[in-house]
Amino acid sequence: MKKNEITPEEVYLNTNAEAEGVLKNRLIGMTLGLFLAHVYVALALYYTSIDSRGYFHTSWLALFGTFVSSMIFCYHIGISKVISEKNNGIYGRYFSPLISPSLWGFVLIVIAVLSVFQWQPWFMPYSVWAWPLTFASIMIGYFIGPVFDRMFVTLGRFSRKA
């Protein structure tokens, strides 16, 4: 073997090290996006109210910040899943439920319900739980989101056959 030749093992190790570096950067992007999304959701919940005439008021800027932060999170997680699956990694398997549309639909429903409940007189003693309940909805959605995705795909197939 010549001195300057690169062995296949070295190519594999270099490729693996590059992919691992990209995944670490994506993990930082995911964490930052998720954290900022929660901060903006907390701000939206804090600034949401219903006036005496029953009109709903919220901070649309905070909701827009939630949307942008969530899209940053979903972008990084989607790219990480693709890279991990291409390299036969388990990274994508554990994070892939977080890009489930059903999960985030469930979370948005929980946020909307908590936004309305937060200012109701009967919910006032429990309003401190709005933020933890939003986070808990993500944990619950992590497990039920992919199941609902498969269910919706199956229902879509049945509706096309009928």
Side-chain angles (χ1 to χ4, degrees):
M1 186 183 297
K2 294 182 185 177
K3 220 178 195 184
N4 294 336
E5 272 188 42
I6 298 174
T7 65
E9 292 84 21
E10 289 176 325
V11 170
Y12 176 76
L13 290 174
N14 287 339
T15 305
N16 212 9
E18 288 173 23
E20 190 175 303
V22 169
L23 289 177
K24 284 180 184 175
N25 291 337
R26 295 294 178 206
L27 184 61
I28 291 168
M30 284 187 293
T31 305
L32 185 63
L34 190 62
F35 174 76
L36 289 176
H38 281 84
V39 167
Y40 284 121
V41 164
L43 287 173
L45 287 171
Y46 180 77
Y47 288 113
T48 299
S49 64
I50 299 174
D51 63 16
S52 60
R53 289 183 272 166
Y55 294 124
F56 185 76
H57 301 283
T58 190
S59 171
W60 295 106
L61 188 60
L63 289 177
F64 180 72
T66 302
F67 174 75
V68 170
S69 299
S70 298
M71 290 303 105
I72 290 169
F73 169 74
C74 286
Y75 169 77
H76 285 293
I77 204 165
I79 296 296
S80 299
K81 182 177 182 277
V82 168
I83 292 170
S84 177
E85 287 176 350
K86 186 172 73 173
N87 293 322
N88 240 352
I90 61 170
Y91 184 82
R93 283 188 231 145
Y94 294 119
F95 286 116
S96 64
L98 294 173
I99 59 174
S100 164
S102 297
L103 178 149
W104 295 109
F106 175 71
V107 171
L108 289 175
I109 289 169
V110 168
I111 290 168
V113 167
L114 286 174
S115 296
V116 172
F117 283 2
Q118 186 176 5
W119 298 104
Q120 302 300 317
W122 58 269
F123 193 75
M124 283 295 197
Y126 311 107
S127 64
V128 171
W129 287 98
W131 168 249
L133 286 173
T134 302
F135 184 72
S137 71
I138 294 173
M139 295 301 181
I140 294 166
Y142 177 86
F143 297 104
I144 67 171
V147 174
F148 278 115
D149 287 344
R150 283 188 293 262
M151 184 179 71
F152 291 138
V153 167
T154 304
L155 288 174
R157 287 183 189 146
F158 283 140
S159 69
R160 279 184 242 130
K161 288 180 183 179

